[in-house]
Amino acid sequence: MISPADVWEALDALALEQGLTPSGLARAAGLDPTTFNPSRRISPHADGRADMRWMALPTLLRALDVLKISPAQFIQGLDGAGRGTGLASVTRLRGLPLSRLQGGGLFNSAGHPTGVQWEDVTLPCTISGDAYAVRVDTDALEPLLREGSSLVVMPDMPLRRSDRVLLLQPGMQPVVGILVDNTARHRGVAPAPAPAPALPVSASASHQQNTGDGSGRTAEALRWGVLPYKNSQTGGADAQGNVCGMEETVVPVQEGKSGVWVHRIVMATF
């Protein structure tokens, strides 16, 4: 039996397959940009319960027209008859807007997403491991990352210099950027293009050598940094990872501090 969730998931998968976010699909269909937002899919009840609501037929037909999918094809895909004929399979992931990643209780001791604050999102492909999705809900990263685009992040994937990463530190805004050798940059030495850095996925290791600046931070703990991924007019890195600002734009990775995570970005949808 087809459920409202099946309809929403299938539409999400088809949109992502064509590079459209929910808001992008709504705009292309001439609808309010929030029409397909997750919060608009729920019908709350007075007793606190909430059910997934059915999409209005005119809304669905306008979306399918944008996606160049006939209603018959869409229905066949929902009941299984159209599997493998152009309707994408989906992967369910946990996801949150970028602005909400600053809160606590979102990751366990291994750096994996946990808790009830996460939302369900879908992707039209198979993603292994404990990946999660981040929706860009700011225009500060444009034109490189458009507001409404999504990032797929892998907590357990080994990190390498120049990787696109997401830096999460307690009490600070999350940083999307490029992993750099912070100490080499401050010495004015071009980092070797070779091996992957000895940077753990978590930042829980203790270090012995103090920097001497009275901060308690160590030289080892500040070795790596993230060059923010932003518009070249405001400094940071461009789409190819080229430096477009001053050295001060690099955000140090405080590896010795609890709750600091550097997770690798493996995919972006626009």
Side-chain angles (χ1 to χ4, degrees):
M1 182 177 179
I2 298 173
S3 69
D6 294 331
V7 176
W8 287 110
E9 282 191 15
L11 192 66
D12 282 342
L14 289 167
L16 284 171
E17 189 178 46
Q18 298 188 31
L20 291 170
T21 61
S23 59
L25 176 60
R27 290 190 186 97
L31 303 168
D32 184 286
T34 65
T35 299
F36 300 131
N37 283 6
S39 60
R40 298 282 296 272
R41 307 178 185 189
I42 303 298
S43 296
H45 297 280
D47 59 3
R49 294 182 300 109
D51 294 327
M52 188 77 72
R53 69 174 180 81
W54 287 99
M55 188 184 308
L57 181 58
T59 299
L60 176 60
L61 292 178
R62 291 177 72 168
L64 293 180
D65 185 58
V66 170
L67 298 170
K68 302 295 188 289
I69 299 292
S70 71
Q73 284 179 293
F74 187 75
I75 296 299
Q76 287 177 342
L78 287 175
D79 66 15
R83 300 295 183 188
T85 60
L87 293 184
S89 59
V90 299
T91 298
R92 297 182 68 88
L93 295 179
R94 282 168 286 193
L96 274 181
L98 184 64
S99 61
R100 288 172 56 189
L101 287 177
Q102 194 175 359
L106 296 175
F107 298 93
N108 61 21
S109 59
H112 296 166
T114 188
V116 298
Q117 301 181 57
W118 293 88
E119 303 168 351
D120 282 340
V121 298
T122 58
L123 287 177
C125 56
T126 301
I127 300 292
S128 60
D130 206 350
Y132 61 94
V134 175
R135 187 173 75 255
V136 178
D137 58 348
T138 174
D139 61 1
L141 302 180
E142 292 188 354
L144 305 177
L145 288 175
R146 185 172 58 81
E147 184 175 5
S149 60
S150 296
L151 307 173
V152 178
V153 186
M154 296 287 288
D156 294 326
M157 183 167 286
L159 297 169
R160 306 167 303 181
R161 185 186 296 115
S162 298
D163 276 341
R164 274 55 177 172
V165 297
L166 175 64
L167 170 62
L168 302 162
Q169 302 189 92
M172 297 178 63
Q173 290 287 346
V175 178
V176 178
I178 298 169
L179 187 66
V180 297
D181 187 331
N182 199 29
T183 54
R185 291 173 62 83
H186 281 291
R187 291 195 307 268
V189 178
L199 176 65
V201 175
S202 68
S204 59
S206 60
H207 303 277
Q208 302 299 321
Q209 180 187 356
N210 196 282
T211 60
D213 63 1
S215 65
R217 296 174 301 178
T218 66
E220 288 291 335
L222 297 178
R223 177 181 177 186
W224 301 102
V226 175
L227 186 64
Y229 205 46
K230 59 176 69 173
N231 192 315
S232 60
Q233 295 180 352
T234 59
D238 63 14
Q240 288 74 43
N242 300 315
V243 178
C244 304
M246 300 299 291
E247 299 290 341
E248 286 75 19
T249 62
V250 174
V251 180
V253 177
Q254 302 181 53
E255 295 182 56
K257 187 175 180 180
S258 175
V260 175
W261 307 104
V262 184
H263 293 163
R264 188 170 168 188
I265 298 169
V266 297
M267 184 189 303
T269 66
F270 299 92

